[in-house]
Amino acid sequence: MNYVLITPARNEEAFIEGTIVSMVAQTARPLRWVIVSDGSTDGTDAIVKRYAAQHAWIELVRLPERRDRQFAAKARAFAAGYERMQDLAFDLVGNLDADITLPPDFYAFLLERFAERPKLGVAGTPFVEDATKPGEHSYAHGAANLTHVSGACQLFRRRCFDEVGGYVPIKGGAIDWIAVTTARMKGWETRTFLE
């Protein structure tokens, strides 16, 4: 199985290099990774351009600056990245937030889960925020409903993503929750893998 990734990013200069470095280290890399700079005004674009020059599978798409901040912007940025993938043959499409770092076998692990489960439509794993910083936390997945998949890092079977209509641009948010819930409504399995 193969996959593509999209990362909507707005002013992520402090974090995006860590995300890129962890993707370059993946044992199973994507066919293409489109990082959509959603009107960034910091050094985000320069960092992405530097890595895109070294890795042909990384692409920067720049959207114009905008003043408003709303959750629908992430859906629109993701759609702009997804449009860039239509010429590729791929099995899975993922959202990866610009402030996430991953172990090198992260996507290899998820690819195996999709290969084992033909009805798996959306998958992910728990995340841990930097507990050394004030105000940060870890999500207690042990007590959570494992059919929900965190929007920070979701991987969809392409057919599932297309059936749910992708991320719906809703100003108030919950675009990831809506996509996962709609997938289950359409008969797909959704899963957070604790292991």
Side-chain angles (χ1 to χ4, degrees):
M1 300 192 84
N2 57 32
Y3 72 104
V4 296
L5 275 184
I6 301 163
T7 295
R10 180 176 169 94
N11 295 335
E12 294 286 359
E13 177 181 27
F15 302 105
I16 198 155
E17 189 163 21
T19 303
I20 295 170
V21 168
S22 75
M23 280 307 303
V24 168
Q26 288 299 302
T27 58
R29 290 189 187 144
L31 291 174
R32 185 177 299 159
W33 181 22
V34 176
I35 301 171
V36 182
S37 176
D38 190 14
S40 293
T41 57
D42 64 359
T44 297
D45 294 8
I47 295 167
V48 176
K49 284 178 185 176
R50 191 170 75 243
Y51 283 93
Q54 299 169 26
H55 304 281
W57 50 276
I58 300 175
E59 177 183 353
L60 173 67
V61 170
R62 168 95 182 150
L63 298 182
E65 288 182 36
R66 57 183 171 72
R67 291 178 185 252
D68 67 325
R69 291 206 30 103
Q70 56 173 283
F71 289 103
K74 178 179 177 177
R76 289 188 191 101
F78 191 93
Y82 193 57
E83 190 174 309
R84 305 286 299 177
M85 307 291 190
Q86 298 311 304
D87 63 327
L88 297 176
F90 58 90
D91 304 302
L92 308 166
V93 57
N95 171 68
L96 175 63
D97 280 4
D99 59 353
I100 301 286
T101 56
L102 306 164
D105 62 345
F106 182 81
Y107 282 103
F109 170 81
L110 287 179
L111 291 172
E112 288 177 15
R113 303 296 77 75
F114 276 96
E116 295 166 353
R117 302 167 102 138
K119 290 298 291 172
L120 184 60
V122 188
T125 68
F127 64 91
V128 178
E129 296 193 33
D130 189 345
T132 64
K133 295 182 181 174
E136 299 294 332
H137 68 280
S138 295
Y139 186 73
H141 280 87
N145 181 346
L146 297 182
T147 62
H148 177 68
V149 180
S150 170
C153 189
Q154 293 178 328
L155 193 59
F156 289 82
R157 194 173 299 270
R158 182 180 190 175
R159 198 170 58 133
C160 174
F161 188 76
D162 290 340
E163 281 182 19
V164 303
Y167 290 124
V168 179
I170 297 173
K171 187 176 182 177
I175 63 169
D176 52 342
W177 181 85
I178 291 168
V180 173
T181 302
T182 304
R184 281 197 306 276
M185 290 171 57
K186 292 188 173 284
W188 291 98
E189 178 188 0
T190 63
R191 179 71 187 205
T192 291
F193 291 97
L194 294 180
E195 64 274 28

